[in-house]
Each structure stands twice: as structure tokens, then as C-alpha cells.
Amino acid sequence: MGCECSKLSCCLTSEQNGAVQEAQNAENEEKSEVSDLPAFREYTVEQLRIATSGFAVENIVSEHGEKAPNVVYKGKLENQRRVAVKRFNRSAWPDSRQFLEEARAVGQLRNHRLANLLGCCYEGDERLLVAEFMPNETLAKHLFHWEAQPMKWAMRLRVALFVAQALEYCTSKGRALYHDLNAYRIVFDDEGNPRLSCFGLMKNSRDGKSYSTNLAFTPPEYLRTGRITPESVMYSFGTLLLDLLSGKHIPPSHALDLIRDRNLQMLTDSCLEGQFSSDDGTELVRLASRCLQYEPRERPNPKSLVSSLIPLQKETEVPSHVLMGIPQGGEAMFLSPLGEACQRMDLTAMHEILEKLAYKDDEGAATELSFQMWTNQMQETLNSKKKGDAAFRHKEFKAAIDCYSQFIDVGTMVSPTVFARRSLSYLMSDMPQEALNDAVQAQVISPVWHIASYLQAAALFALGRENEAQIALREGSVLEEKKNTTSSK
């Protein structure tokens, strides 16, 4: 540890230059990264209902669960873009115009340090926000509730810098107020990079409260006035630095007592032993102390935070997903025979597997019930399905499409398997877009059905959309693994 400290001063200049260069490179990359994002738009409730499979419980990703006032769902739009949809309770944002204005203003921001806002919906009592989906959990999960490995020191410093850069960008665009900055507001993207959720740039609801966390963590001036200022955001950033340093959510008053008593060992996460020099630890504590000053005017601004954090960056050449231990798309997936068949576009093998599966995953949705009195129309509908099944079995795919379409168009009964079979029939008939639409519809009906994801992958491969196909394939693999794990318990 001692030699590391002595090396620090002589290495600082070159390291700082390297880190500054990296920051400039990241800034230059920003245009290309962010230009891929669509402009802010308004969605209908129906579009978002389809995207989230009817706001299915299985698609809830927010930590606070189904009964929270604001629930976040994962979803997939028609163009296959994955999104996070935040649904407010009915008493929030009674003024739709105020909601739209606020959402539009946040939706103008575009930065690679943010989980950007893509759109909103304000039909009737519904108030929903649509943002980029970040698949790799929150900072709270990785910091407080980790399973595989504790977060490394280098990654914690990267989180601090990237969040400071996000705040600096927002401030430069006139959005300096961030509501309730905490470890749940920081999410990780496909590459394992931390991003600041755009949801915190909007007010929580009509009561205007900016902090939902324990009062022990709120800025002192907020307790006095009930108002948030840019300096209040810096105070919250200080509590975030304490989280990163300690691996726990320590109340600032307790942390400041430890700092005054020079009891830094009690403040530091024991999992970090040997990962950083005492100088670096002291500097992070100093930064946290500055952010936690009682007087708002004595706290730093985002720009000075970025300047202070850049020299501290370690292992800058190591990708975030490596530091985080997050598997990447190119790494091996454990695929079932159906997943493998979809990956190599072996339509014959896919047909054999779907034929053997029959209707086992429909949970009775398309089952004939002998005790139910069928009208003539319902009987005809079932006959259409039977004819479709016979055509599918005999590989008469045009006929299968016609018969399954008759069954689907009546709409009396809903069957994900029928959509899956028609999807494959479309693929066999060289109609990949129609196949994709049916695979998506199968997932709307059954949100956690892995076969729907696999068929989406096959259709996307056929459409030449390789990256999206790989994502759908991985989603199918994850869903299938979860299903197998659950059934084996």
C-alpha cells in the first residue's frame, strides 16, 4: 500500500492526461452513440400495453414492486427497441399539459451518460414515461445486494465519474435539478456502463416532493424549505459517494462523525481491502465531505466534481462489463435445441420441435372443453384450428396460414401456440416480417414464453437484423433457463 501511495504523485500527471484524453474521446463518441436514438415522441396507451404484454406482473423491473405508486415495466416496441415504461398512479400529474411539457423538456436531452427519455403517454388518467431499457440492474443491487462479486474499486470510481458527467451535462442544458439522486437511480446498460435514469429529472408527482428516501439522507435545506436546489443535488451526490465507499447506505451524519474522528476504516467497505491507496481513499472522503457541507454554497458544482474524479480513475482501459463480471453478447449462450435451430435458421428442425411441443404451453387457452356449449361459430373456429394443425403437420404452410388466420380473426380464443405456428409458417413461406409480428403477438399473450423470443430471433435473422436477433436469442435463453429452474424446484 505504501509504495502505491509513493508512486501516485509521480504517476498522477500522465494518468490524469490519459483520463482526460479518455473523457474527450468519450465526448466525441457521444454524437455517434446518441444519434442512434429516435426523437422524443408521444405513445398511445395501447402501444405501451402491447409493448409490456398488458403491463404484465412478469415485466415489472422496479425494486418497489407491483403496489408502488410508480411502477416500471420492461417492454419491447414494434420496432423491437427495448424500453422501460414508468407508469404513474392515477393521482399523479392531474394536469396533462404540465406532464407533457415536463416530459418534452427532459426528452430533449440526449447523452450517453443518461438512460434517455424516448417518449410519454397522457391518455385520460394515464401518465407514462418511456425510456431506454438498461438490462443490468441498479447500482443498489450491485452495491448492497450483490450475489456473485462485490463491485470493484475501479468500477465504483467509474460510477462516480459517469454520474458526475451526467449531472454536468444536464446542468449545461438547463436541467440542474435532479430529484432524489440515490443508488436506485443509477442503472447499467448492455456494456455494463453506469447511466443516470432520466426519471429523476421529472418531478415525482403533483405534491412536488423531491425526496422519497429516509429523511436522514435528505439535504438539510430541503428539510427546512421543502424545495430542491442544484446544491441539494450535490448533497445527494455526497451520500452516493458514501455508498460507493462503504458498500452500505450510511446516514451522512454518522459518516461525518466517523470522518471527524478519522475513523476511515469503519467507513470503508471491507471487500475493497488492497484495491486502492490511502491517498485515493482520502480524496474520495474529502470529496464526499465537500458535497455534504451544511451550507449549500460551500458544496462543489458538477463541473468541479468531474475535474476531481478524473485523476482518480483506475483501469480505464478495462471495459465496464469486465469489471462488473457481466457476460457479453459474444460470449457463450446455453441454448436448447429450439434455440440452436433458430440461431442457425434450421426451419425443418424448428418445425419438428414445435410439432412435438403441441399445445403444452397454452395452459388450456386453446383446449376444447366438452362440458361447454359451443355455438356454431365457435365450433367452426375450432375446426379452423384443427385444419391448421393438420396442414402444419403435413408441412402445407400456405394452408396452415389460412386456417390459423381464420381461428385468430374470430378472436373467441387466444393461443400463443397458434401464433407461434403461424409465425413459423410465414418463415417457411418467406414472409419474415409477418413471422416477426406473430412472434411478438405470442409474447404479448405469454410474456415469459421463451419460444416467442426464439421465433422473434429467427424472424430477425431472416430480416438481416443480426444485432436485434442476438438480443432476442439471449432473452429466449434467459427465459428458458428461468423456466427450467422453476420447474426443477
Side-chain angles (χ1 to χ4, degrees):
M1 197 108 122
C3 63
E4 206 174 323
C5 292
S6 62
K7 285 179 188 172
L8 185 67
S9 55
C10 60
C11 293
L12 194 58
T13 308
S14 61
E15 193 174 321
Q16 183 169 354
N17 290 340
V20 169
Q21 184 64 47
E22 188 204 16
Q24 287 170 345
N25 290 343
E27 208 170 304
N28 293 334
E29 286 169 15
E30 181 188 324
K31 289 181 182 174
S32 61
E33 286 183 273
V34 177
S35 65
D36 292 341
L37 286 181
F40 180 88
R41 59 167 286 193
E42 293 164 29
Y43 292 90
T44 65
V45 171
E46 186 57 25
Q47 283 174 312
L48 299 183
R49 193 181 303 282
I50 291 170
T52 58
S53 302
F55 300 105
V57 174
E58 296 92 336
N59 284 333
I60 292 176
V61 292
S62 51
E63 275 87 351
H64 305 299
E66 192 182 2
K67 294 180 181 176
N70 311 314
V71 180
V72 181
Y73 300 83
K74 66 178 177 181
K76 194 186 288 180
L77 299 175
E78 284 180 10
N79 62 3
Q80 297 299 295
R81 181 180 289 280
R82 294 176 300 161
V83 290
V85 179
K86 182 170 186 175
R87 191 183 198 186
F88 291 89
N89 66 9
R90 296 192 181 278
S91 64
W93 297 101
D95 185 341
S96 62
R97 185 166 49 182
Q98 184 193 14
F99 174 77
L100 179 59
E101 286 173 3
E102 188 81 0
R104 273 183 178 158
V106 175
Q108 299 311 304
L109 303 176
R110 287 288 181 268
N111 191 270
H112 62 321
R113 298 288 182 247
L114 291 174
N116 295 279
L117 190 65
L118 304 178
C120 73
C121 171
Y122 57 101
E123 278 181 35
D125 290 334
E126 291 283 7
R127 303 288 181 265
L128 301 113
L129 296 174
V130 182
E132 290 181 280
F133 178 64
M134 300 289 121
N136 285 311
E137 306 280 4
T138 64
L139 177 62
K141 168 83 174 174
H142 290 293
L143 208 52
F144 309 139
H145 313 295
W146 54 272
E147 292 166 8
Q149 64 176 47
M151 187 179 284
K152 294 178 179 177
W153 174 251
M155 193 64 215
R156 299 187 195 205
L157 289 173
R158 191 172 297 181
V159 169
L161 174 62
F162 282 20
V163 173
Q165 287 173 334
L167 294 173
E168 183 185 16
Y169 168 78
C170 293
T171 301
S172 74
K173 297 296 182 182
R175 302 292 301 190
L177 300 186
Y178 193 93
H179 303 267
D180 203 10
L181 176 62
N182 60 58
Y184 291 95
R185 297 285 201 187
I186 297 156
V187 285
F188 292 84
D189 64 19
D190 289 278
E191 304 298 321
N193 288 318
R195 305 243 205 144
L196 185 61
S197 169
C198 61
F199 295 147
L201 292 162
M202 303 256 314
K203 291 188 183 74
N204 288 339
S205 64
R206 66 175 173 181
D207 60 15
K209 285 183 180 174
S210 294
Y211 286 88
S212 59
T213 50
N214 190 308
L215 292 179
F217 296 90
T218 55
E221 67 275 9
Y222 179 77
L223 295 175
R224 293 196 304 270
T225 66
R227 298 186 62 182
I228 181 177
T229 66
E231 293 76 21
S232 309
V233 182
M234 291 300 95
Y235 185 92
S236 296
F237 188 85
T239 67
L240 193 66
L241 289 179
L242 293 178
D243 291 348
L244 291 166
L245 188 65
S246 66
K248 297 186 284 289
H249 202 35
I250 298 177
S253 57
H254 178 52
L256 289 170
D257 286 341
L258 292 173
I259 292 167
R260 274 190 288 270
D261 295 341
R262 298 186 179 279
N263 195 350
L264 299 189
Q265 195 173 352
M266 288 287 288
L267 193 59
T268 307
D269 192 339
S270 58
C271 296
L272 296 172
E273 193 171 344
Q275 290 188 32
F276 64 95
S277 69
S278 55
D279 282 0
D280 284 2
T282 302
E283 178 59 19
L284 205 65
V285 168
R286 187 185 70 81
L287 260 183
S289 301
R290 284 177 60 206
C291 292
L292 295 169
Q293 290 296 310
Y294 184 83
E295 289 297 333
R297 65 176 180 273
E298 293 177 7
R299 298 171 199 157
N301 59 34
K303 191 167 188 173
S304 69
L305 280 178
V306 170
S307 299
S308 300
L309 286 163
I310 283 175
L312 295 177
Q313 297 307 302
K314 306 293 177 191
E315 301 184 53
T316 53
E317 72 291 346
V318 181
S320 294
H321 72 87
V322 174
L323 288 175
M324 295 282 288
I326 294 171
Q328 280 303 93
E331 294 177 29
M333 276 185 282
F334 295 100
L335 293 175
S336 64
L338 178 60
E340 287 177 354
C342 291
Q343 187 177 40
R344 64 179 188 268
M345 288 297 290
D346 185 342
L347 301 184
T348 304
M350 290 163 63
H351 176 262
E352 285 176 13
I353 293 166
L354 280 187
E355 176 62 29
K356 282 179 188 171
L357 179 68
Y359 287 83
K360 288 175 189 170
D361 288 345
D362 267 21
E363 297 181 350
T367 307
E368 290 183 65
L369 301 177
S370 56
F371 58 83
Q372 187 167 346
M373 290 182 65
W374 300 102
T375 63
N376 288 337
Q377 186 186 36
M378 292 173 84
Q379 192 60 54
E380 283 175 22
T381 304
L382 285 169
N383 287 337
S384 298
K385 184 181 81 65
K386 282 181 179 176
K387 287 177 183 174
D389 289 342
F392 186 79
R393 186 166 55 253
H394 293 110
K395 301 183 182 179
E396 297 164 357
F397 297 111
K398 296 279 189 192
I401 290 169
D402 292 341
C403 294
Y404 286 143
S405 296
Q406 288 173 30
F407 172 82
I408 288 167
D409 291 345
V410 172
T412 311
M413 305 173 76
V414 180
S415 165
T417 299
V418 165
F419 278 103
R421 288 180 165 216
R422 192 174 73 168
S423 175
L424 181 58
S425 299
Y426 277 131
L427 274 178
M428 290 286 195
S429 306
D430 198 23
M431 300 169 73
Q433 186 57 56
E434 290 80 358
L436 178 60
N437 295 343
D438 271 5
V440 169
Q441 194 57 44
Q443 194 164 46
V444 168
I445 299 166
S446 188
V448 294
W449 197 35
H450 59 284
I451 288 171
S453 293
Y454 283 147
L455 286 169
Q456 286 173 47
L460 288 162
F461 278 128
L463 287 164
R465 291 155 67 176
E466 178 81 24
N467 290 342
E468 294 165 65
Q470 290 292 349
I471 290 169
L473 206 59
R474 185 165 291 277
E475 284 176 354
S477 169
V478 170
L479 288 172
E480 187 168 21
E481 194 176 341
K482 280 183 183 173
K483 180 191 172 189
N484 293 340
T485 304
T486 305
S487 59
S488 65
K489 284 181 180 177

